[in-house]
Amino acid sequence: MHATVERDLDPQTDALAGEWLTLKEAAARLGVKHSRIKQLLAERKLLAVRREGQLMVPAAFLRDGQVIKGLSGTLTVLSDAGFSDVETLRWLFTADDTLPGTPVQALSENRGTEVRRRAQALAF
């Protein structure tokens, strides 16, 4: 898996994401096997962080039985910009008045192009 946080999230970052899912719960929501979730994490198509001692995924990353469109590309851009997994989470769940809303909300509303533009600007 890609750079997973070894310690639990700080409470402030933890609270940003709202609902959390274990990998098993995420697999159930996507209708896939647990091994497929691990593959999605390894391929950087999904992000999990250590929370309460176990890897967990923000529920907002999943919608209608799928990973929200544009998440994978955004994760790649932020990773290439040097963001850690925790920094990526903070960025995705922090309100941006120019979007409006949070980047993860914009992704779930199929506004991924705008989100990736902002993420790419962070790399420069």
Side-chain angles (χ1 to χ4, degrees), residues 1 14 16 19 81 101 105:
M1 277 182 244
D14 188 326
L16 286 174
E19 182 186 0
Q105 287 170 327

Side-chain angles (χ1 to χ4, degrees), residues 10 24 35 42 45 49 87 107 109 116:
D10 61 276
K24 184 177 182 178
S35 60
K45 293 181 179 176
V49 293
E87 291 168 331
L107 288 173
E109 295 167 359
R116 279 186 299 286

Side-chain angles (χ1 to χ4, degrees), residues 44-115:
R44 199 78 177 147
K45 293 181 179 176
L46 189 61
L47 177 69
V49 293
R50 196 156 300 281
R51 182 177 178 271
E52 299 176 4
Q54 63 180 326
L55 287 176
M56 298 186 88
V57 174
F61 288 171
L62 310 179
R63 185 174 181 174
D64 300 326
Q66 297 183 344
V67 175
I68 57 173
K69 185 178 177 183
L71 180 64
S72 175
T74 304
L75 293 176
T76 298
V77 169
L78 292 171
S79 178
D80 289 351
F83 277 54
S84 70
D85 289 350
V86 172
E87 291 168 331
T88 295
L89 265 180
R90 282 187 202 129
W91 188 83
L92 285 168
F93 285 96
T94 299
D96 180 340
D97 292 338
T98 66
L99 276 172
T102 67
V104 79
Q105 287 170 327
L107 288 173
S108 69
E109 295 167 359
N110 204 22
R111 296 186 287 135
T113 302
E114 288 301 312
V115 172

